[in-house]
């Protein structure tokens, strides 16, 4: 994918009132038109972080890997989940393209729900946190941002409990959804780890299976019938 031209990015409002970003040159949005907020809660919190936590209630610390920090929406939702459920979350996010201050300062996520208003300053801190360092955002949430390309990231084995796979769509960025890259991500997951993504593409299902993950088609977020989750069983 060619670099993102910051001048071309547009803030849009999705159907649930939450913002997202639109990239004209890719004709692609960062989230679903049917609601960025609702999509992220369903795909990444309900089907990812909360699902893992419910299956491993004894586990005091959960390590999450996110593909694409972008607007920081998933990190914000994970912060609130960690604080509310008093489970320590280490959130590692990789991002190839920086989002300028004029965009992240406009995003309306902390105004979407009264229980998020207290995170306005934390949301900016997360965007401004240094790369390649642990930033303690709350006693229950540590953010580690990596500036880099997922394709060349040197993964370690057996590190992550939950993977938020939030790259641009397979049609737009096929290289990020290949068996080769998914195998690397699967190797970096711990046994029992959950991979979750908004996509329900048949080829992705086959690629995840080829990467030795056990794949399920589950109910999608509002406006989308299905999506995929996968578990590392070995
Ligand atoms: C669909 S957006 C979602 C971003 C974010 N999770 C959010 O909720 O705003 C995809 C993100 O992946 C990033 N990205 C695209 N190609 C990448 C790559 N090769 N390595 C790392 N990040 C990449 C984009 O810059 C963008 O922020």
């Amino acid at each position: 994918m060619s670099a993102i031209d910051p001048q071309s990015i547009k803030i849009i409002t999705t159907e649930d009132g939450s913002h997202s970003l639109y990239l004209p040159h890719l004709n692609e949005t960062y989230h679903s038109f049917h609601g960025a907020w609702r999509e992220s809660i369903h795909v990444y919190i309900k089907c990812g972080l909360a699902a893992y936590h419910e299956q491993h209630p004894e586990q005091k610390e959960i390590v999450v890997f996110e593909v694409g920090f972008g607007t920081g929406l998933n990190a914000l939702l994970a912060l609130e989940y960690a604080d509310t459920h008093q489970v320590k979350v280490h959130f590692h996010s990789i991002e190839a393209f920086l989002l300028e201050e004029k965009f992240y300062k406009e995003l309306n996520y902390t105004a979407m729900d009264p229980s998020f208003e207290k995170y306005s300053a934390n949301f900016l801190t997360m965007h401004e946190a240094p790369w390649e360092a642990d930033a303690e955002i709350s006693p229950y949430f540590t953010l580690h941002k990596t500036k880099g390309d997922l394709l060349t990231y040197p993964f370690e084995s057996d590190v992550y409990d939950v993977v938020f796979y939030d790259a641009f769509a397979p049609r737009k960025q096929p290289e990020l959804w290949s068996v080769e890259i998914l195998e690397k991500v699967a190797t970096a997951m711990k046994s029992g780890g959950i991979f979750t993504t908004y996509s329900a593409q048949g080829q992705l299902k086959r690629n995840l299976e080829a990467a030795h993950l056990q794949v399920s088609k589950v109910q999608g977020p509002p406006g989308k019938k299905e999506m995929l989750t996968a578990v590392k069983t070995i």
Side-chain angles (χ1 to χ4, degrees), residues 97-110:
F97 307 103
L98 302 189
L99 190 61
E100 291 185 356
E101 185 183 15
K102 66 177 178 189
F103 295 110
Y104 65 72
K105 283 206 160 158
E106 284 294 310
L107 296 171
N108 65 356
Y109 299 139
T110 57

Side-chain angles (χ1 to χ4, degrees), residues 1 4 21 23 28-31 40 44 66-74 93-98 109 148-151 166-169 173 175-176 198:
M1 196 183 92
I4 293 174
L21 302 176
L23 298 179
E28 179 75 333
T29 54
Y30 278 47
H31 308 96
S40 294
Y44 300 106
E66 176 186 45
V67 175
F69 184 76
T71 61
L73 174 55
N74 292 336
S93 187
I94 187 165
E95 176 56 62
F97 307 103
L98 302 189
Y109 299 139
D149 188 340
L150 178 71
L151 294 175
D166 200 10
F168 291 123
Q173 261 194 315
E175 69 279 11
L176 292 193
Y198 61 88

Side-chain angles (χ1 to χ4, degrees), residues 21-87:
L21 302 176
Y22 173 66
L23 298 179
H25 75 287
L26 268 188
N27 188 24
E28 179 75 333
T29 54
Y30 278 47
H31 308 96
S32 160
F33 282 117
H34 297 290
W37 179 261
R38 291 188 308 192
E39 176 189 50
S40 294
I41 288 178
H42 180 85
V43 177
Y44 300 106
I45 303 304
K46 183 165 175 269
C47 297
L49 183 55
Y52 185 86
H53 187 213
E54 281 157 22
Q55 286 167 21
H56 303 84
E58 77 297 341
Q59 204 170 307
K60 297 281 171 263
E61 305 202 352
I62 300 176
V63 187
V64 176
F65 180 71
E66 176 186 45
V67 175
F69 184 76
T71 61
L73 174 55
N74 292 336
L76 173 70
L77 295 173
L79 163 65
E80 194 272 343
Y81 184 92
D83 280 359
T84 303
H85 294 84
Q86 302 196 339
V87 59

Side-chain angles (χ1 to χ4, degrees), residues 34-226:
H34 297 290
W37 179 261
R38 291 188 308 192
E39 176 189 50
S40 294
I41 288 178
H42 180 85
V43 177
Y44 300 106
I45 303 304
K46 183 165 175 269
C47 297
L49 183 55
Y52 185 86
H53 187 213
E54 281 157 22
Q55 286 167 21
H56 303 84
E58 77 297 341
Q59 204 170 307
K60 297 281 171 263
E61 305 202 352
I62 300 176
V63 187
V64 176
F65 180 71
E66 176 186 45
V67 175
F69 184 76
T71 61
L73 174 55
N74 292 336
L76 173 70
L77 295 173
L79 163 65
E80 194 272 343
Y81 184 92
D83 280 359
T84 303
H85 294 84
Q86 302 196 339
V87 59
K88 178 100 191 174
V89 171
H90 300 276
F91 194 93
H92 180 196
S93 187
I94 187 165
E95 176 56 62
F97 307 103
L98 302 189
L99 190 61
E100 291 185 356
E101 185 183 15
K102 66 177 178 189
F103 295 110
Y104 65 72
K105 283 206 160 158
E106 284 294 310
L107 296 171
N108 65 356
Y109 299 139
T110 57
M112 285 298 297
D113 182 301
S115 56
F116 283 76
E117 280 166 12
K118 61 178 179 286
Y119 293 120
S120 297
N122 296 117
F123 186 64
L124 299 184
T125 304
M126 291 201 286
H127 275 282
E128 285 155 15
W131 301 93
E132 302 308 349
D134 288 345
E136 192 177 289
I137 306 298
S138 92
Y140 288 104
F141 191 84
T142 303
L143 174 67
H144 186 107
K145 293 191 299 186
T146 290
K147 178 166 172 17
D149 188 340
L150 178 71
L151 294 175
T152 53
Y153 184 68
F155 281 108
E156 289 171 24
S157 301
D158 302 315
V159 182
Y160 303 112
D161 299 304
V162 185
V163 173
F164 292 4
Y165 212 82
D166 200 10
F168 291 123
R171 276 177 296 107
K172 303 291 167 77
Q173 261 194 315
E175 69 279 11
L176 292 193
W177 304 81
S178 68
V179 176
E180 190 192 355
I181 190 73
L182 294 171
E183 268 175 349
K184 287 189 196 169
V185 172
T187 302
M189 290 167 65
K190 289 187 210 157
S191 181
I194 294 180
F195 175 109
T196 185
T197 186
Y198 61 88
S199 177
Q201 203 202 40
Q203 186 59 51
L204 173 61
K205 183 170 184 289
R206 292 188 286 281
N207 288 359
L208 287 166
E209 284 165 350
H212 308 292
L213 296 176
Q214 196 177 82
V215 186
S216 302
K217 220 173 227 186
V218 299
Q219 157 113 43
K224 196 152 194 278
K225 203 166 140 217
E226 292 168 330

